[in-house]
Amino acid sequence: MTSISPADTEPPRWTINASVETLLLGASLFWAVAVNQRFFAGALAGHPGDNLGFTLALGLALVALNFLLLAPFATRHSVKPLLALMFVATAFAAHYMNRLGVYLDPSMLRNVLRTDVREASELFTPSLVPDLLLLAVLPLLVLWRVRIVRRAGWATALGVRIAGIGIAAAVLVGTVVAQYQPLASLMRNQKELRYLITPANYVWSLASVFGRDARASGPKKVLGADARPGPSWKTDTRPRVVVFVVGETARAANWGLDGYSRQTTPQLASLPVVAFRDVTSCGTNTEVSVPCMFSALGRRHYDEDTIRGSESLLNLLARAGVGVRWRDNQSGCKGVCDGVPTETAAEVAPPALCPGGACLDEALLAGLDDWLNKVDGRQILVLHQLGNHGPAYFRRYPPEYERFQPACRNEDLRSCTREQIVNAYDNALLYTDHVLATLVRTLQAHADRVDATMIYVSDHGESLGENNFYLHGLPYAIAPQEQKKVPMVVWANSGGPLDTGCLARKAAEPASHDNLFHLMLGLLDVQTSLYEPEMDPSHGCRREPGA
Ligand SMILES: [Zn+2]
């Protein structure tokens, strides 16, 4: 016996009665129309001829796709929480796609999942409010008033669901067949457009990331089991240090040493550094580039699963006898420093450099002088910068570096002029210039005892509004040069094993992240069959036997 409550007998007048299928269809239609503008724009841009028919077919296919995505998981009890969650997630997705030109591919989703709270909080700007109201709050209000109609018996319910799925699949296949020619050429020429199909893009990308993580969860494969010290370890008894600064979001286009019209690197320009002026990054985001920089595969043989599933260059170097340390001022080392000593800038720096718990990059240099006084053997110290991490470029530098004015002082880049955005971005580069020059001067001061090399390279570039793209992380195949060309600077003490005059001649040639693995092996003289001398810019430029 069930008791009947008054609410059941007298539903408020503004309640909507709907079956689960009707509700799913409504949500599918809403998303197809309300959040796929960029997909439609991209698809129609290269489409000659009958646009109306093609648009209608694409729209119909999107509705069917959305329905197929939801139908297997929506029951009478789960449909409302499921849709509520997806209305909110889709509103966020649409906001960043439309405002910043983001594509939600697996690599972008991995970046989102690994972002820390501080990084993420900079993306919560007032401009989110209208999108959230329209795309989340409004549909949630409607959803709240929906009363799910119960079907008579589970057999009927199951039958209706199966029929619904069948119809949606037929519509999807039908539209694809009807528009086969234009769709095939679209997918051939603009593959990346599929990452604009919302919400399927983030659902698919999320599933792909979890699938990959599950496959890579075992122990990591050993990298370079044959790694061993080279001959110079016996003949050269001076301490040898490589300080590798992994930069963040610095693009070559705005780098003074690379010929930018503004001098954004005045301090480095006054030091005897070697600037590589044509360097290509492995990826367009940290999650791809950082593991790639420390892998033997690089962009040439890029394979995400293999890189994630094996040790990094740092593990290989440690096994050969190199002292390894990773010091981080960002959201971690992306698996590269697993099994090696790691510390954060906040742990080692005086609190004055870390206002509110967020450290300026100078914090990475804390205690360096003391360390160099005592250092012995062969060492690699990796400093992972916060660099030019956006959108809050103005938070990346102390006030005295606000030299290019007016600078954008708002996380919502769209509320600033392009000039203000570029000014803030360039000020952050000025500060990186200061951090690197300070590091070089510190190493110089120890050159009587320690041979040191400083290598700086950014992990990827940044879009500053060109073609309406902001930040970074576009799929590599379609990413603009601004996101892929990065600065790279090398300094070594004169009289040390590296002949920088020789290196400067090599620096005129194009280079990439793929060179770093081999460069580090060369500089530390660690031998392994993975080493390719022709990939090592220091090969032929080192004053030691066999180099
Ligand atoms: Zn990055």
Side-chain angles (χ1 to χ4, degrees):
M1 288 290 280
T2 51
S3 65
I4 294 168
S5 69
D8 280 341
T9 53
E10 294 167 41
R13 216 168 292 145
W14 22 288
T15 294
I16 307 158
N17 289 313
S19 66
V20 175
E21 287 77 16
T22 312
L23 191 53
L24 294 184
L25 189 62
S28 301
L29 193 63
F30 174 73
W31 285 323
V33 174
V35 298
N36 281 283
Q37 301 94 320
R38 285 195 59 215
F39 170 72
F40 281 112
L44 291 174
H47 179 69
D50 173 22
N51 272 344
L52 184 64
F54 188 54
T55 311
L56 285 176
L58 286 179
L60 213 52
L62 287 191
V63 175
L65 180 70
N66 291 342
F67 187 90
L68 287 172
L69 205 64
L70 297 164
F73 308 103
T75 67
R76 198 157 54 87
H77 301 289
S78 71
V79 67
K80 284 179 130 190
L82 175 72
L83 287 180
L85 182 71
M86 286 196 56
F87 279 130
V88 175
T90 305
F92 276 99
H95 173 78
Y96 294 114
M97 288 172 53
N98 292 331
R99 242 179 127 77
L100 300 171
V102 166
Y103 281 59
L104 295 175
D105 63 356
S107 136
M108 177 56 80
L109 257 288
R110 187 180 288 283
N111 234 14
V112 172
L113 293 174
R114 294 272 188 96
T115 297
D116 60 29
V117 176
R118 193 175 299 119
E119 279 180 11
S121 65
E122 289 181 354
L123 286 167
F124 284 84
T125 64
S127 66
L128 256 172
V129 174
D131 281 337
L132 286 185
L133 283 177
L134 187 69
L135 301 174
V137 175
L138 185 69
L140 284 176
L141 283 174
V142 174
L143 186 65
W144 177 47
R145 301 314 314 175
V146 168
R147 228 166 64 125
I148 304 294
V149 178
R150 239 184 129 151
R151 301 221 182 262
W154 65 268
T156 317
L158 188 66
V160 171
R161 181 60 55 86
I162 290 172
I165 291 176
I167 293 169
V171 168
L172 186 60
V173 172
T175 49
V176 169
V177 170
Q179 296 285 338
Y180 183 75
Q181 268 320 34
L183 274 180
S185 84
L186 191 66
M187 283 303 127
R188 209 169 34 245
N189 301 325
Q190 289 177 269
K191 276 207 309 258
E192 315 301 341
L193 270 184
R194 66 189 190 277
Y195 294 121
L196 293 176
I197 299 175
T198 321
N201 52 359
Y202 72 79
V203 173
W204 156 259
S205 297
L206 208 57
S208 157
V209 167
F210 286 135
R212 289 198 147 164
D213 283 356
R215 283 202 300 280
S217 61
K220 291 190 173 189
K221 233 179 116 233
V222 172
L223 182 71
D226 61 342
R228 63 193 179 281
S232 71
W233 288 55
K234 285 215 179 78
T235 54
D236 180 7
T237 51
R238 280 164 61 87
R240 188 182 292 192
V241 169
V242 170
V243 182
F244 180 17
V245 184
V246 178
E248 175 60 48
T249 318
R251 68 185 208 179
N254 288 46
W255 191 245
L257 285 173
D258 288 353
Y260 182 41
S261 55
R262 259 179 187 174
Q263 182 47 288
T264 50
T265 53
Q267 296 194 41
L268 284 173
S270 70
L271 290 165
V273 297
V274 175
F276 286 72
R277 290 177 60 154
D278 180 8
V279 181
T280 307
S281 68
C282 177
T284 62
N285 65 50
T286 313
E287 286 291 336
V288 168
S289 281
V290 170
C292 183
M293 289 158 109
F294 291 86
S295 80
L297 296 183
R299 173 53 53 183
R300 290 178 300 165
H301 312 292
Y302 187 76
D303 181 74
E304 186 187 333
D305 288 346
T306 308
I307 292 177
R308 279 183 195 288
S310 58
E311 292 181 343
S312 79
L313 171 68
L314 297 180
N315 304 111
L316 179 158
L317 292 173
R319 206 172 325 105
V322 177
V324 177
R325 191 144 57 117
W326 181 286
R327 192 177 267 194
D328 205 280
N329 193 28
Q330 225 205 84
S331 52
C333 70
K334 318 296 173 192
V336 166
C337 63
D338 290 356
V340 306
T342 306
E343 60 203 11
T344 66
E347 286 164 3
V348 296
L353 284 172
C354 304
C359 299
L360 291 162
D361 276 334
E362 265 172 298
L364 288 167
L365 308 182
L368 195 64
D369 208 44
D370 287 343
W371 181 67
L372 287 165
N373 276 326
K374 288 177 284 194
V375 76
D376 217 350
R378 302 222 171 176
Q379 307 283 338
I380 182 166
L381 170 64
V382 184
L383 304 178
H384 190 200
Q385 275 194 305
L386 195 50
N388 273 44
H389 197 287
Y393 307 122
F394 66 99
R395 291 193 200 284
R396 302 289 97 91
Y397 53 84
E400 60 269 31
Y401 286 87
E402 186 145 314
R403 292 198 207 137
F404 301 116
Q405 290 176 344
C408 177
R409 299 195 64 84
N410 193 325
E411 281 92 348
D412 184 9
L413 294 175
R414 288 278 179 129
S415 70
C416 290
T417 65
R418 204 178 121 69
E419 185 202 1
Q420 291 169 329
I421 296 169
V422 173
N423 284 343
Y425 184 84
D426 287 350
N427 288 330
L429 288 181
L430 275 177
Y431 181 59
T432 284
D433 171 64
H434 166 70
V435 173
L436 296 177
T438 306
L439 169 59
V440 166
R441 286 190 290 263
T442 310
L443 296 172
Q444 258 174 345
H446 290 265
D448 58 331
R449 193 181 78 88
V450 179
D451 285 326
T453 308
M454 190 278 302
I455 299 160
Y456 164 77
V457 61
S458 181
D459 62 345
H460 51 75
E462 183 87 324
S463 284
L464 297 174
E466 296 87 5
N467 298 317
N468 266 330
F469 288 121
Y470 292 85
L471 307 181
H472 55 266
L474 279 187
Y476 198 81
I478 60 161
Q481 294 298 307
E482 289 87 8
Q483 297 193 15
K484 292 198 285 198
K485 292 290 180 188
V486 291
M488 174 167 162
V489 177
V490 177
W491 171 88
N493 61 303
S494 57
L498 183 61
D499 175 353
T500 47
C502 169
L503 191 72
R505 288 190 291 279
K506 300 250 193 125
E509 290 159 25
S512 75
H513 281 170
D514 292 22
N515 296 109
L516 294 167
F517 180 86
H518 308 280
L519 176 61
M520 303 292 160
L521 289 173
L523 290 173
L524 291 159
D525 192 21
V526 167
Q527 299 192 332
T528 155
S529 56
L530 294 171
Y531 176 69
E532 298 168 49
E534 68 281 5
M535 290 296 290
D536 171 13
S538 81
H539 180 69
C541 291
R542 274 176 284 124
R543 307 180 187 99
E544 54 194 16

